[in-house]
Amino acid sequence: MNKPPRFWRFIRSRSGRGFLVHLSLCAALSAAVGYGFHYFSVNWFKEHKGNEEIAALRLVDAFVTDYSGVRSQFGEAAPVPASFRAHAIDAFNKQNGNNSEFRLASVGRPGRQILTPPTDAQMARTIEAFAATPNPKPKSETVDVNGELMFRTIYPTIAQEQSCVNCHNVLQPDKARWNLHDLMGAFVIDVPIASFLHAVMWQSTGIGLGLFLALALAGLTISLIHFRQLEALDASAAKLGRTQKFLDTIIENMPLSVAVKDARNRCYVLINRTAEAIFGIARGDLIGRRGRDLSDMETVDPLFPLADEALRTRDLQTIAERTVHTRNGTRILTTRNLSIPDETGEQRYLLSLSEDITERKEAEARIEHMAQHDALTDLPNRAAFVQRLTRVIDAAGESEESFAVLSIDLDGFKEVNDTFGHAIGDDLLREVARQLRGLAGEACLARLGDDEFMLITPNGDHPALAEILAERLRSAIVADREASGQHPHIGISIGIAIFPADGIDATTLLNNADSALYRAKAAGGGKTRFFEIEMDNRLRERRAIQHELSAAIERNELRLHYQPLARIDGEVIGFEALVRWRNPQRGMVSPATFIPVAEQSGLVMQIGEWVLREACREAAGWLHPLQIAINLSPIQFRDGDLPGLVHSVLLETGLAPRRLELEITEGVLIEDFDRGLAILRRLKALGVGIAMDDFGTGYSSLSYLQSFPFDKIKIDQSFISNVKSNPQSAAIVRAVIGLAHGLELPVLAEGVETKAQLDFLAAESCDEVQGYLIGRPHPILEYSGLTGCHGATQAKQFSA
C-alpha cells in the first residue's frame, strides 16, 4: 500500500488538526483585533476630534464675547458681535478655500436665522433640540450629507449680549423677538470622515490580516515541528515495533530452546516454540508461574539446569552434553545459562539456551558407522579392518599367540554381474556376506571392495584352524543360491597368511594373504592356498615392474615394432603396431609381462594413447597407403573418451581414417555391453575399421557379431597352431571362415608360422594372414621397402 503524501499525513495528524483549530482561533482573534482597532479608532476620532472642535468653537465664542466687551472702543461703526462673528467665519472659510476638509459655519435657528440657515434637516433638528434643552451641550455626530459622510460638531450659540439681541431684533422685525439668553443658532464644523474611515478600514484589515498571518505562521511552524517530532516518534515506535517483532520472530524461530526466568521470584517470563517442541510443554502453562508451583516439575526442571549456580557465579555457564527425558522422548542437549543484571547491577533475569543435538549425535554415529562399514553389506570396511588387525597384532604379540588372515574372493562374480545385472550381483553379495558372517562366528569379517572379503581368525592352533575354517566357508558358498528370483552359481577362492610366520604387521599380512589368494585364483579358482615365500617374491616382482614401467613411460623407453599383415597371396597390405619395452637393467621385457601390469595399474591408458599417436604419426609418413592396426585394451573403453582421442589423433597426424584399424577383444563388450557398443559406433562413425581380435576364445563372440557390424575377424593363433595336428582346431577354423564369409566379413588368421598352415588357410579361402612366416615384429626401418620410405623402390611380395 502506497504511503499518502506528506501534506495529507500532516492534515490528518494531531499536529494538523491542532493547526486547523489554531487557524480558527487566529482568524477569530485577528477579526476581533481588526474590529477593535477600527472601533477604537473611530471612537478615538470622534472623541478627540469632537473635543478639539468644541474647544475651537469655545475659543471663537470667547473671542466674540471679548469683542463685545471692547466693541465700544472701536466706535459706532464697529459691527455688532453677531455680525463680527459671521464675517470672521466667512473670512476663515474663504482663507481655507473650498477644498479644505474643515468646514466652519455659523448657523441660525430654523425660521429665525439672519444669514445662514441649517444646511440639512439633521442640523436643523439638532439645533432645535438645543432650544428645547435648558442647558444645551455641544454635540458631535457622523451624518450623511448629500451622500458624503461627515463628522459634525455643533456648538450652541446663546445670546449673551443685549447688543446682539437688539441687532437681531432690528434685522428681523417681522419675526419673533429675540431675548437675552435665547438660542440664536450654532457654530458648526463639518469634517469629511469617509477617507478616514476608509484608511481605518484598511488599517484594521491589515492589522487583522497581519496578525492572522503572523499567528498562523507561528502556529504552522510549531505544528510542523510537532508533526516532525510525532513522525520521528512514530517512526521510532514503528522501528522499535519492527525491531521487537523481528526479535520476537527470531527468538520464536530460533533452533535453540530459549527460556527466561525472573531472577527474583523465579517466575517464567519467556519460552519459545523450540522449547515447547523439545520438552513437550505448553508455554501457556508456565508463563508467569514458578516451577515449584507446577504439578509436573520433572518436565520443566531441565529447562534451567544448575540455575542457582549460574546466579551465584554470574558467569556464562556451559553444560556440554546432557541427556534429558522429556515428554517427547529422550533428548541430548547442550545448554548455556547466563544471568542478566538490571541497570543497578542486581540479577534481573536468568537466560537458558539449549540446543537439541540428538539428531546430530545420531548422524555422527551413522557417519562414524558408515566410515567404518561397507554400505552394501554393513560389514567393516578396509579402514576398520586394518584398525582391528593392528589391535589383534598387538594383542597377539604380547600373548605370543597365532592367528590367520583369510583373503576371500568370489569366483565367477563378474560373470554374474554381466549375465544377471548389477542388482542381482548386489543381492548376491549381501547374501554371501550374511552367510560368511554366520560361519565366521567370533572371527572379524570385513568387505574390502567388490567381491573381496577379509577375515581374522581367533587365536589358536594355526594353520590347522585356518584351513578348517576356510574349507567350511568354501563348502558353504559353493552352491546355487537364489537372488531376486535368479539362481547364480559362484564359488570362492581363499588365500591365507599366518601371524607371525607370514608377517608381523598389518601391511605385510594383508599383502601376503592377497598373494596367496592370487595363487589360488591362478590355480583355477575354488581353491585355498597358504602364503609361500615365492608368492612374495612374485608380488615384489610385479610391483617393481609397475614402478619401472611408470618411469619408462616418462623416460620414453617404449618402442613400436611392426608386424606385416598380408593377403593370402602374400601381398602386404599393412602392419600391426606392437609395443615393446627395453629396460636398461632387465633388457627386453615381454609384453605378456608388462601389459597385464599396465592394465591392473591403469598405466595402459598412457601407453595406449602413446601407441595410437605414435603409430598414426608413423603411418601418415609412408609413401604407400598401407593399413595400420592397433590393439585396444578394455580399460581404454572403460575410462576416458576414446572416440575423442582417436579423432584428435587423426586430425593431428593427418592419417586417413580408412587406413586405421582398431582391434578389440570381446572383453570390451563383456564389461559394459551398452557403453562398449556405443563407443564402437562412435569409432565406426569416424571412418576407421573395427576388427574382433582373438575370435573364438570367448564364449560370447558369436552374439557380439550380431550386435555390431565388425569390419574383420581375427582367428586366434591357438587354433592356427594346431590345424594340421588337431581335427577339432581345423574344424573350428573352417567354421569361423565359413561364418565370416556368410556375414561377408574378411578373416585374418594370426600366428601363421609354417607353409603347411598357410596352405590349409588358402585351401579354406582365408582372406588374410599374419605371423612369423610373413614377417616378424621389427622396427619400421626394417620394412622401409614396403612403406616406400628411405629410397626403397619395390614392394616385397610373398608367394603362396
Side-chain angles (χ1 to χ4, degrees):
M1 183 177 180
N2 293 331
K3 197 174 183 180
R6 188 178 181 88
F7 171 77
W8 291 112
R9 297 204 311 273
F10 170 70
I11 292 299
R12 295 171 184 174
S13 67
R14 286 183 296 166
S15 301
R17 294 195 298 270
F19 176 66
L20 293 178
V21 174
H22 174 75
L23 284 182
S24 301
L25 295 176
C26 287
L29 178 61
S30 299
V33 170
Y35 175 76
F37 177 80
H38 182 273
Y39 175 79
F40 286 109
S41 295
V42 172
N43 286 344
W44 176 86
F45 181 85
K46 289 180 179 180
E47 180 180 353
H48 288 77
K49 202 69 173 177
N51 291 337
E52 289 176 359
E53 293 177 354
I54 290 170
L57 293 175
R58 281 179 179 168
L59 289 174
V60 172
D61 192 38
F63 177 75
V64 173
T65 300
D66 292 342
Y67 170 75
S68 66
V70 298
R71 173 179 175 274
S72 59
Q73 299 177 10
F74 296 104
E76 291 297 330
V80 295
S83 298
F84 175 79
R85 176 176 55 200
H87 292 312
I89 291 174
D90 287 340
F92 174 80
N93 287 333
K94 289 179 180 180
Q95 183 180 357
N96 288 324
N98 294 329
N99 295 328
S100 176
E101 294 182 355
F102 187 79
R103 298 287 186 271
L104 178 62
S106 176
V107 182
R109 286 183 62 189
R112 300 182 68 176
Q113 60 270 26
I114 301 174
L115 294 175
T116 306
T119 57
D120 53 72
Q122 178 64 30
M123 186 185 296
R125 287 194 295 271
T126 302
I127 295 173
E128 280 302 310
F130 286 162
T133 303
N135 187 19
K137 302 292 184 183
K139 183 176 181 181
S140 296
E141 58 184 343
T142 303
V143 296
D144 188 341
V145 179
N146 299 324
E148 184 178 7
L149 198 62
M150 295 287 185
F151 180 70
R152 174 177 290 168
T153 301
I154 302 178
Y155 183 83
T157 303
I158 307 298
Q160 297 180 355
E161 296 295 335
Q162 187 63 47
S163 61
C164 291
V165 173
N166 293 337
C167 180
H168 278 285
N169 285 335
V170 172
L171 294 174
Q172 300 177 29
D174 56 339
K175 295 185 180 180
R177 304 295 290 174
W178 289 85
N179 296 308
L180 191 63
H181 301 301
D182 280 351
L183 178 70
M184 297 174 61
F187 289 125
V188 177
I189 297 178
D190 281 344
V191 178
I193 197 174
S195 60
F196 171 78
L197 292 178
H198 183 73
V200 169
M201 179 62 69
W202 277 107
Q203 291 174 358
S204 301
T205 303
I207 290 173
L209 184 59
L211 179 62
F212 174 78
L213 292 177
L215 293 176
L217 181 60
L220 178 61
T221 303
I222 295 172
S223 298
L224 288 177
I225 293 174
H226 184 252
F227 174 67
R228 291 193 185 97
Q229 292 175 344
L230 287 180
E231 279 209 324
L233 290 175
D234 291 342
S236 298
K239 183 177 181 181
L240 183 61
R242 289 193 299 270
T243 303
Q244 183 66 39
K245 184 178 180 180
F246 171 76
L247 292 176
D248 291 343
T249 302
I250 293 298
I251 292 174
E252 186 67 12
N253 293 279
M254 282 180 64
L256 302 176
S257 165
V258 180
V260 180
K261 260 185 179 182
D262 192 311
R264 294 173 297 188
N265 55 25
R266 303 302 175 90
C267 289
Y268 291 95
V269 176
L270 183 147
I271 295 175
N272 71 344
R273 183 166 52 193
T274 304
E276 288 185 306
I278 291 177
F279 295 95
I281 57 179
R283 72 183 83 182
D285 297 337
L286 297 181
I287 300 298
R289 303 178 66 185
R290 294 181 297 182
R292 64 185 182 183
D293 296 335
L294 302 173
S295 58
D296 192 2
M297 291 181 59
E298 294 182 356
T299 303
V300 298
D301 278 349
L303 275 170
F304 286 92
L306 305 178
D308 293 335
E309 183 176 346
L311 288 174
R312 179 177 54 81
T313 60
R314 300 192 178 190
D315 293 328
L316 177 65
Q317 184 184 61
T318 301
I319 304 174
E321 289 185 16
R322 60 191 180 102
T323 302
V324 177
H325 301 286
T326 70
R327 294 176 181 175
N328 293 334
T330 301
R331 315 300 295 175
I332 302 174
L333 307 178
T334 61
T335 301
R336 291 177 175 83
N337 292 334
L338 179 65
S339 61
I340 302 174
D342 57 16
E343 60 276 5
T344 65
E346 294 296 327
Q347 300 306 303
R348 186 68 179 88
Y349 297 106
L350 179 62
L351 170 66
S352 179
L353 301 175
S354 295
E355 180 182 5
D356 187 353
I357 60 172
T358 306
E359 285 75 15
R360 189 178 76 192
K361 298 297 290 185
E362 292 174 351
E364 290 175 355
R366 288 194 299 270
I367 292 173
E368 184 177 0
H369 181 82
M370 292 171 61
Q372 298 289 322
H373 291 77
D374 171 54
L376 181 65
T377 62
D378 202 38
L379 291 174
N381 58 16
R382 179 181 294 273
F385 181 80
V386 171
Q387 292 177 5
R388 177 67 180 272
L389 178 59
T390 302
R391 291 195 298 270
V392 172
I393 289 174
D394 294 340
E398 294 178 358
S399 60
E400 297 183 355
E401 294 181 341
S402 177
F403 66 90
V405 175
L406 277 63
S407 180
I408 305 169
D409 189 79
L410 302 185
D411 298 329
F413 179 73
K414 184 176 182 299
E415 287 74 14
V416 171
N417 266 341
D418 294 337
T419 305
F420 298 102
H422 290 283
I424 300 299
D426 290 345
D427 290 340
L428 179 61
L429 284 175
R430 281 189 286 266
E431 173 62 22
V432 169
R434 184 194 62 77
Q435 195 167 5
L436 289 176
R437 188 186 295 112
L439 294 172
E442 298 180 0
C444 173
L445 178 67
R447 180 189 177 210
L448 272 62
D450 293 334
D451 56 344
E452 182 183 0
F453 297 85
M454 278 285 184
L455 187 145
I456 304 174
T457 66
N459 295 330
D461 183 15
H462 292 287
L465 291 178
E467 187 173 13
I468 294 172
L469 178 58
E471 184 61 30
R472 187 188 306 163
L473 296 175
R474 202 163 49 79
S475 300
I477 297 300
V478 180
D480 286 335
R481 63 194 68 250
E482 184 175 352
S484 298
Q486 304 294 334
H487 295 272
H489 178 77
I490 61 168
I492 62 172
S493 298
I494 302 175
I496 304 174
I498 308 296
F499 175 85
D502 298 333
I504 57 173
D505 60 82
T507 301
T508 303
L509 283 173
L510 290 175
N511 290 338
N512 291 343
D514 284 340
S515 297
L517 175 64
Y518 181 80
R519 183 178 170 220
K521 299 286 282 187
K527 305 291 192 300
T528 299
R529 293 290 184 268
F530 285 86
F531 173 77
E532 297 175 1
I533 192 64
E534 301 83 44
M535 298 180 186
D536 185 51
N537 293 335
R538 287 194 295 271
L539 181 61
R540 291 177 184 273
E541 179 68 11
R542 288 177 62 84
R543 290 174 180 168
I545 291 175
Q546 177 180 335
H547 177 72
E548 293 172 8
L549 181 59
S550 178
I553 296 173
E554 295 179 1
R555 293 194 296 262
N556 197 26
E557 294 178 0
L558 300 179
R559 295 290 182 270
L560 286 183
H561 285 194
Y562 296 85
Q563 187 173 25
L565 307 175
R567 289 194 177 95
I568 196 68
D569 60 1
E571 179 187 0
V572 174
I573 58 175
F575 292 92
E576 179 178 359
L578 302 172
V579 64
R580 295 293 184 262
W581 176 26
R582 180 177 294 278
N583 184 277
Q585 288 77 33
R586 299 175 184 270
M588 187 65 71
V589 182
S590 170
T593 299
F594 72 83
I595 291 298
V597 174
E599 290 185 330
Q600 290 181 3
S601 63
L603 293 174
V604 72
M605 294 294 294
Q606 296 174 259
I607 295 175
E609 181 176 347
W610 178 84
V611 169
L612 177 66
R613 181 170 281 104
E614 183 67 16
C616 290
R617 184 194 61 78
E618 176 64 41
W622 298 341
L623 295 180
H624 298 156
L626 303 176
Q627 278 190 330
I628 184 70
I630 300 173
N631 288 287
L632 295 180
S633 169
I635 307 299
Q636 292 175 275
F637 281 76
R638 187 181 65 196
D639 303 323
D641 180 14
L642 181 60
L645 173 63
V646 173
H647 188 209
S648 65
V649 169
L650 290 174
L651 293 175
E652 176 186 329
T653 60
L655 181 70
R658 59 183 175 77
R659 294 181 58 196
L660 176 62
E661 183 177 85
L662 302 176
E663 299 181 1
I664 69 166
T665 62
E666 67 177 22
V668 167
L669 297 173
I670 288 177
E671 288 193 2
D672 190 336
F673 179 79
D674 292 335
R675 174 179 170 83
L677 193 60
I679 294 176
L680 287 176
R681 287 171 177 166
R682 290 177 60 192
L683 291 171
K684 185 87 169 177
L686 295 176
V688 304
I690 306 295
M692 177 174 279
D693 198 10
D694 300 338
F695 186 83
T697 58
Y699 62 87
S700 300
S701 298
L702 292 177
S703 65
Y704 294 145
L705 288 179
Q706 186 178 5
S707 303
F708 182 78
F710 287 92
D711 297 293
K712 185 183 292 184
I713 292 176
K714 299 184 70 173
I715 303 176
D716 187 70
Q717 63 180 354
S718 61
F719 298 109
I720 303 301
S721 61
N722 297 320
V723 290
K724 301 302 293 181
S725 60
N726 190 328
Q728 287 81 5
S729 295
I732 291 173
V733 171
R734 191 176 294 113
V736 171
I737 294 174
L739 173 65
H741 288 169
L743 297 174
E744 298 181 354
L745 295 177
V747 180
L748 184 148
E750 295 180 310
V752 179
E753 298 181 353
T754 65
K755 185 69 167 54
Q757 294 171 349
L758 182 63
D759 292 341
F760 174 83
L761 293 171
E764 297 297 333
S765 301
C766 182
D767 301 288
E768 301 171 6
V769 291
Q770 175 185 3
Y772 287 172
L773 181 65
I774 308 303
R776 291 176 177 271
H778 289 296
I780 196 61
L781 291 178
E782 298 286 335
Y783 296 106
S784 58
L786 294 174
T787 61
C789 299
H790 304 292
T793 58
Q794 184 177 345
K796 180 179 180 181
Q797 296 211 355
F798 295 87
S799 58

